[in-house]
Amino acid sequence: QVQLVESGGGLVQAGGSLRLSCAISGISLDSTAIGWFRQAPGKKREGVACIGTGDGSTVYADSVKGRSTITFDNAKKTVNLDIDILKPEDAGTYSCATRPWYGPVRRDLITTYSYEFWGRGTQVAVSS
C-alpha cells in the first residue's frame, strides 16, 4: 500500500521558516517526481516545488523561488520542503504527491496535477 504522510505544519510567524516533510512508503522511488502543492481556503490548488528522484533536478513556483528548497533523502524515503521568509500568502494545506518520472523535472509538473499518489496534507498558518 502506497502511503504519503506529510508533517511539519503548524502556526509560524511571518518572516520565519518552516520545514515540511513527506514520508513515502510502499513504492519504489528510483525514478519518480515528487511534488509539493498547497491550497488556501477559497483558492485554487497551487504547485510549489517538485524534485526528480532520479537526478535531483528541481523546479519551483515563482511565488517561492529563492526562498524555498526541496530535497530528497533516499535513505529515509522522505522529501523535505524548506520555506524561508514566510508570508501570509504561504498559508494553506500542503500536500505531497508522486508519479513515475524519467529525466529532469519540468515546470508543468507543478502546473498540472497528474500525480498517481497523494498525501492527505498538513496545515500551515502564518501569523502577520
Side-chain angles (χ1 to χ4, degrees):
Q1 182 182 0
V2 180
Q3 282 192 315
L4 288 79
V5 181
E6 301 92 341
S7 60
L11 176 63
V12 186
Q13 199 166 12
S17 302
L18 88 158
R19 164 168 282 196
L20 302 176
S21 296
C22 172
I24 305 170
S25 60
I27 189 173
S28 170
L29 298 179
D30 288 343
S31 297
T32 62
I34 302 172
W36 276 99
F37 300 83
R38 67 187 181 191
Q39 188 166 20
K43 294 192 176 180
K44 290 174 58 177
R45 178 185 289 170
E46 174 190 19
V48 179
C50 179
I51 187 166
T53 60
D55 64 357
S57 57
T58 58
V59 64
Y60 296 91
D62 290 342
S63 58
V64 299
K65 203 169 188 178
R67 58 186 185 95
S68 180
T69 305
I70 185 170
T71 54
F72 173 56
D73 186 332
N74 194 20
K76 295 181 180 179
K77 298 186 77 173
T78 297
V79 173
N80 296 315
L81 178 69
D82 295 302
I83 306 179
D84 299 320
I85 318 174
L86 281 161
K87 305 175 182 180
E89 51 263 41
D90 290 321
T93 299
Y94 283 71
S95 303
C96 58
T98 186
R99 58 162 293 169
W101 190 259
Y102 301 89
V105 292
R106 303 188 312 229
R107 179 155 294 276
D108 62 345
L109 285 168
I110 56 170
T111 59
T112 60
Y113 313 120
S114 54
Y115 284 73
E116 190 170 0
F117 301 103
W118 289 82
R120 291 188 173 185
T122 184
Q123 296 229 340
V124 173
V126 181
S127 63
S128 54

